[in-house]
Amino acid sequence: QLKAHLAQGDILLPLPAFYFDEGKVKLSKESGPIILLEHDCDMSIEDGICRTSHYVIAPLFPDAAIRSHFSDFTAIESNLITHKIYFSSVPTLGSSYVVDLNMTGSVKADWLHRSIQDGTIQRIASLSDNGFYFLLAKLTVHLLRANSSADAA
């Protein structure tokens, strides 16, 4: 069920996945779903102005598209890989998807709000409370884990 407002963990589509490779921006061949990683309060609009200029996002890839790149997909399905989040099902998309937290990017906030209002971009899902707390745990482990003693030397 969609929350009343744009929220951290909302899944939107369509947006292309993109990344930098040797100084050039590479885009995915097809646009697909993304997850909003920005905090709820940073996505608020005050007096018609977005609180922040850009929102952090990460692409969702169909597990079928990435399954072949891993010898053992069980660790991903069990959410044991710190930079991957496995969704066994996404409402309206039906199949399972994987978020890659190493491929985060950003979009202009005002563009995203306009695109949602005019129907170019659709909000298709919001996380449940449990899903939201799981997302926070994954982000924390991925972004805030301490260096091991071998890495610190």
Side-chain angles (χ1 to χ4, degrees), residues 2-153:
L2 284 175
K3 295 186 175 167
H5 56 83
L6 209 51
Q8 187 175 37
D10 276 3
I11 297 173
L12 310 152
L13 66 82
L15 282 162
F18 58 91
Y19 60 95
F20 286 93
D21 184 18
E22 296 184 23
K24 295 181 182 175
V25 176
K26 303 281 185 158
L27 292 173
S28 57
K29 292 177 184 164
E30 296 179 20
S31 294
I34 60 97
I35 188 167
L36 284 169
L37 300 177
E38 195 72 34
H39 192 277
D40 287 14
C41 71
D42 291 333
M43 291 190 287
S44 64
I45 299 175
E46 298 166 4
D47 298 323
I49 300 170
C50 296
R51 185 173 179 153
T52 56
S53 63
H54 292 79
Y55 297 157
V56 179
I57 61 169
L60 278 80
F61 297 102
D63 81 348
I66 63 167
R67 189 175 286 272
S68 63
H69 299 283
F70 296 90
S71 58
D72 182 9
F73 202 73
T74 325
I76 292 174
E77 289 175 317
S78 301
N79 279 302
L80 298 176
I81 310 292
T82 59
H83 66 279
K84 305 257 191 259
I85 305 173
Y86 179 79
F87 288 99
S88 59
S89 179
V90 177
T92 74
L93 298 179
S95 60
S96 51
Y97 281 79
V98 177
V99 174
D100 190 336
L101 294 175
N102 282 339
M103 293 188 69
T104 59
S106 66
V107 296
K108 287 279 288 176
D110 57 353
W111 173 84
L112 186 63
H113 283 279
R114 280 194 317 273
S115 297
I116 291 169
Q117 285 179 333
D118 71 19
T120 307
I121 303 291
Q122 297 177 318
R123 289 176 64 212
I124 60 168
S126 293
L127 295 179
S128 65
D129 288 345
N130 287 341
F132 171 74
Y133 291 119
F134 183 73
L135 174 65
L136 292 182
K138 288 293 279 190
L139 287 170
T140 301
V141 168
H142 177 61
L143 297 172
L144 301 176
R145 64 185 180 271
N147 287 337
S148 68
S149 58
D151 292 338

